[in-house]
């Protein structure tokens, strides 16, 4: 696999085996045979310190009218986006005359904050299922991928934008050359590009290998983002760790010289260097840690089943696709998965075909164990599920097994 930025040939470090597409919940049992699998493996480009998966299906196959992810279903995330808005406001990254663009606007949960405060804004998102929800609340959305072509259209219609924001979307874009060229077309001279993503250091520390799936082509670090954007005359000038999605990082980018580099960024860069995020050996060790954890997970679940206890899955997350398929967990171990997203109900999980049921099936007849696939929402879920835990029910996840 060639790195799209340096053209360098990257050899795989670790493989999770044949993997279906995460979020590709299957409606009909007769379609099991048609399921698409690819080889999920990761590599590390030492030149630009970039962690990436080697093979990924074309995004048109999943960011479409069937995409089942809606930010607005999580109160915690809705709250998070209000705080994200307030933080940008406090930093004066926009004002009442600004024009704001969001890359990957999903159901409009973030942009609604700008809309509410009468700030002109525009979203870009190829997932029609999500964009339709944003349009229904009066937001202006372009149903497309953000690339040079889309950026030219935006520039021709609206001119330059003062702020580009994004959350959990940039790591989905394979061609970072094209992404940065597109940003160059629409971003004003003094403007900022602010985005947040799953954070590599958190993934390495937790061995949360389930952050790796077809939609997450890259897992970024500050060192990588700094190197990549520097190639194009942009500069990473600040960062802010976030607790969302099991540990994320917010990145602040401007054109070279437009903003001063903060001390906070220098401190976090040093932490990454201390943790050897720029070294190949770190990722070889991570691969080994994944293998050890895989075996621990399987043994733990097998022991529960041998004791004749029931296990269900809690949250049909995209992440659960990597756990179930890599660790060989099927219907003999997990009875079903409950989820609050109506679009996922009665469908089957990718690869292992465990059925997704409405949340009520959990409350109706508590099992002894629930595998917390939505471990990134642990705080919110533990508060909600006191009845389950006080009745002796136990949540388990690989994060706690480490
Ligand atoms: P998400 O956090 O977006 O993870 P991923 O990106 O890996 O899909 O997904 C959380 C899933 O968990 C989503 O399908 C909704 C579900 N969920 C519940 O079923 N109950 C809950 O209380 C919460 C917070 C989420």
């Amino acid at each position: 696999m060639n790195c799209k930025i340096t053209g360098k040939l990257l050899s795989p470090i670790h493989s999770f085996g044949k993997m279906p597409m995460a979020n590709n919940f299957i409606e009909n049992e007769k379609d099991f045979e048609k399921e698409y699998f690819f080889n999920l493996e990761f590599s590390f480009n030492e030149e630009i310190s970039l962690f990436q998966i080697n093979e990924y299906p074309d995004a048109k196959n999943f960011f479409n009218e069937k995409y089942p992810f809606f930010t607005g279903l999580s109160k915690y995330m809705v709250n998070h986006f209000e705080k994200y808005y307030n933080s940008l406001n406090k930093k004066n990254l926009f004002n009442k005359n600004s024009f704001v663009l969001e890359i990957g606007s999903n159901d409009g949960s973030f942009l609604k904050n700008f809309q509410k405060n009468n700030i002109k804004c525009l979203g870009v998102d190829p997932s029609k299922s999500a964009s339709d929800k944003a349009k229904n609340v009066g937001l202006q959305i372009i149903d497309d991928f953000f690339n040079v072509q889309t950026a030219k259209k935006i520039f021709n219609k609206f001119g330059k934008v003062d702020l580009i924001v994004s959350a959990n979307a940039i790591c989905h874009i394979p061609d970072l050359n094209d992404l940065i060229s597109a940003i160059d077309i629409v971003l004003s001279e003094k403007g900022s590009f602010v985005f947040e993503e799953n954070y590599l250091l958190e993934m390495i520390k937790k061995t949360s290998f389930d952050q790796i799936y077809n939609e997450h082509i890259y897992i970024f670090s500050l060192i990588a983002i700094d190197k990549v954007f520097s190639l194009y005359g942009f500069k990473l000038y600040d960062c802010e760790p976030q607790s969302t999605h099991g540990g994320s990082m917010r990145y602040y980018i401007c054109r070279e010289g437009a903003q001063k580099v903060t001390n906070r960024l220098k401190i976090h860069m040093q932490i990454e260097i201390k943790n050897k995020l720029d070294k190949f050996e770190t990722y070889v060790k991570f691969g080994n840690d994944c293998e050890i954890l895989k075996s621990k997970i399987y043994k733990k679940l097998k022991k529960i089943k041998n004791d004749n206890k029931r296990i269900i899955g809690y949250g049909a997350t995209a992440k659960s696709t990597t756990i179930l398929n890599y660790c060989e967990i099927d219907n003999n171990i997990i009875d079903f998965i409950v989820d609050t997203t109506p679009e996922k109900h009665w469908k089957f999980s990718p690869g292992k075909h465990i059925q997704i049921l409405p949340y009520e099936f959990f409350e109706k007849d508590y099992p002894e164990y629930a595998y917390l696939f939505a471990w990134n929402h642990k705080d919110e879920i533990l508060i909600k599920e006191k009845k389950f835990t006080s009745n002796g029910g136990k949540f388990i996840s690989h994060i706690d097994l480490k």
Side-chain angles (χ1 to χ4, degrees), residues 69 213 314-315 317-319 339-341 344 374 376-377 381 384:
F69 177 84
Y213 54 91
Y314 196 109
T317 55
K319 293 185 286 294
D339 197 284
T340 48
T341 317
K344 295 181 184 176
N376 49 312
H377 300 282
I381 292 171
K384 225 166 50 178

Side-chain angles (χ1 to χ4, degrees), residues 13 42-51 200 204 221 223-224 227 272-286:
I13 297 177
F42 66 76
S43 55
F44 182 69
N45 184 334
E46 283 181 283
E47 227 172 301
I48 47 173
S49 305
L50 191 60
F51 180 98
L200 186 65
I204 300 291
S221 66
I223 299 174
K227 285 186 179 171
E272 287 193 358
I273 287 167
K274 217 175 122 202
N275 281 280
K276 299 187 177 163
L277 284 200
D278 54 341
K279 299 278 186 281
F280 191 84
E281 70 207 47
T282 304
Y283 305 95
V284 174
K285 180 177 180 304
F286 173 67

Side-chain angles (χ1 to χ4, degrees), residues 366-385:
Y366 282 140
E368 283 91 353
Y369 290 88
Y371 196 120
L372 191 55
F373 292 127
W375 59 267
N376 49 312
H377 300 282
K378 187 175 177 182
D379 295 346
E380 184 178 347
I381 292 171
L382 285 187
I383 292 170
K384 225 166 50 178
E385 300 300 353

